[in-house]
């Protein structure tokens, strides 16, 4: 009996499958940690890879601030008295107001959060500025670039400067981590469309004179 039992034990041991040894190929790879910086947010803070350029990006940001341009156009309207100049500046003012209201409406409807890399230190912001889509700086920069190129007399240096400035403003939104790429791209498209829509709604010189003559007096 002992012999039979030992034989059975041996056969049972043989029938047992050897324990599987984990293979490196079958190991599940652990997810790599998320990068500390977004791919393009290289100036998001002073400690970012290109943080040394952050002050320049902030200057570009302020240079396209809606409030700055509103104040600038009102100041120009108070200082000029030629009817054709007033017509251009008043339409620019109207376009800026239209741009700000449209961007605020879209941001309120979409409510897309800003990138995680963004450090919220923008100046003179409203409640809707916590949202990301679309980039108001991109819409405004593109609108202004086309407006200046179309309305200012043929000065190539100014046109080149304006388009270059607009491109740098748009790119700065990514470097600062303020916006996603699609926010800036759609902002540029909206800015271009704004110009052509407002061109169809252009306020004539006579209408501008009628509206502003009580404030500016007789226009020449």
């Amino acid at each position: 009996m002992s012999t039979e039992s030992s034989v059975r034990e041996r056969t049972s041991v043989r029938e047992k499958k050897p324990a599987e040894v984990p293979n490196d190929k079958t190991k599940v790879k652990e997810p790599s940690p998320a990068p500390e910086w977004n791919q393009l947010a290289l100036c998001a803070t002073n400690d970012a890879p290109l943080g040394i350029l952050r002050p320049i990006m902030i200057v570009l940001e302020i240079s396209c601030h809606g409030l700055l341009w509103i104040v600038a156009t009102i100041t120009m309207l108070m200082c000029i008295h030629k009817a054709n100049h007033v017509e251009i500046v008043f339409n620019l003012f109207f376009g800026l107001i239209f741009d700000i209201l449209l961007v605020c409406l879209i941001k309120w409807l979409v409510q897309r959060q800003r990138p995680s890399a963004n450090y919220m230190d923008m100046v003179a912001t409203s409640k809707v500025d916590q949202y990301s889509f679309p980039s108001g700086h991109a819409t405004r920069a593109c609108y202004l670039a086309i407006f200046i190129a179309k309305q200012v007399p043929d000065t190539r240096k100014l046109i080149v400067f304006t388009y270059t400035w607009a491109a740098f403003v748009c790119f700065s939104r990514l470097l600062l981590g303020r916006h996603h790429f699609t926010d800036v791209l759609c902002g540029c498209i909206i800015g271009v469309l704004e110009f052509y829509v407002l061109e169809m709604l252009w306020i004539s010189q006579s209408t501008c004179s009628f509206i502003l003559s009580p404030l500016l007096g007789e226009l020449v």
Side-chain angles (χ1 to χ4, degrees):
M1 296 292 293
S2 61
T3 306
E4 291 179 358
S5 62
S6 61
V7 171
R8 289 176 182 175
E9 289 178 359
R10 290 174 185 175
T11 55
S12 62
V13 170
R14 289 174 184 175
E15 289 175 355
K16 287 181 180 180
K17 295 182 179 179
E20 293 183 359
V21 179
N23 190 353
D24 291 338
K25 295 181 180 179
T26 59
K27 286 183 180 179
V28 178
K29 293 183 179 180
E30 296 181 358
S32 58
E36 187 176 356
W37 307 104
N38 287 1
Q39 290 184 352
L40 291 175
L42 302 175
C43 304
T45 67
N46 293 329
D47 298 327
L50 293 181
I52 192 172
L53 299 178
R54 181 174 169 79
I56 300 174
M57 300 299 111
I58 296 295
V59 170
L60 286 168
E61 179 177 78
I62 295 173
S63 72
C64 196
H65 198 292
L67 183 59
L68 175 66
W69 279 91
I70 292 293
V71 172
T73 51
I74 292 175
T75 303
M76 285 190 287
L77 283 172
M78 301 301 293
C79 295
I80 58 180
H81 298 285
K82 289 187 176 182
N84 58 332
H85 293 168
V86 169
E87 177 189 1
I88 294 173
V89 177
F90 186 75
N91 277 278
L92 176 60
F93 174 78
F94 177 71
L96 290 168
I97 296 295
F98 179 84
D99 169 75
I100 291 173
L101 293 177
L102 179 62
V103 170
C104 287
L105 176 62
I106 298 175
K107 285 188 175 185
W108 180 73
L109 291 173
V110 178
Q111 296 189 6
R112 184 184 192 182
Q113 297 300 316
R114 290 186 181 270
S116 58
N118 175 49
Y119 179 65
M120 198 65 178
D121 59 346
M122 294 183 292
V123 297
T125 58
S126 62
K127 189 174 181 179
V128 294
D129 285 321
Q130 64 182 304
Y131 302 123
S132 184
F133 181 90
S135 168
H137 279 72
T139 63
R140 196 155 40 251
C142 291
Y143 167 72
L144 288 169
I146 302 174
F147 186 96
I148 293 171
K150 295 281 188 179
Q151 297 301 326
V152 175
D154 188 14
T155 52
R156 293 184 180 180
K157 290 182 180 180
L158 179 61
I159 293 172
V160 170
F161 172 81
T162 305
Y163 278 115
T164 303
W165 167 79
F168 274 101
V169 167
C170 293
F171 195 49
S172 72
R173 311 313 292 157
L174 301 173
L175 291 176
L176 287 170
R178 303 290 198 215
H179 292 280
H180 306 279
F181 175 77
T182 49
D183 300 336
V184 178
L185 177 62
C186 292
C188 293
I189 296 172
I190 292 171
V192 173
L193 294 176
E194 278 179 350
F195 172 79
Y196 289 106
V197 169
L198 291 166
E199 192 176 41
M200 292 186 291
L201 301 175
W202 187 267
I203 302 171
S204 66
Q205 186 176 122
S206 58
T207 304
C208 292
S209 299
F210 175 77
I211 294 172
L212 297 174
S213 57
L215 297 173
L216 304 180
E218 191 70 24
L219 300 176
V220 295

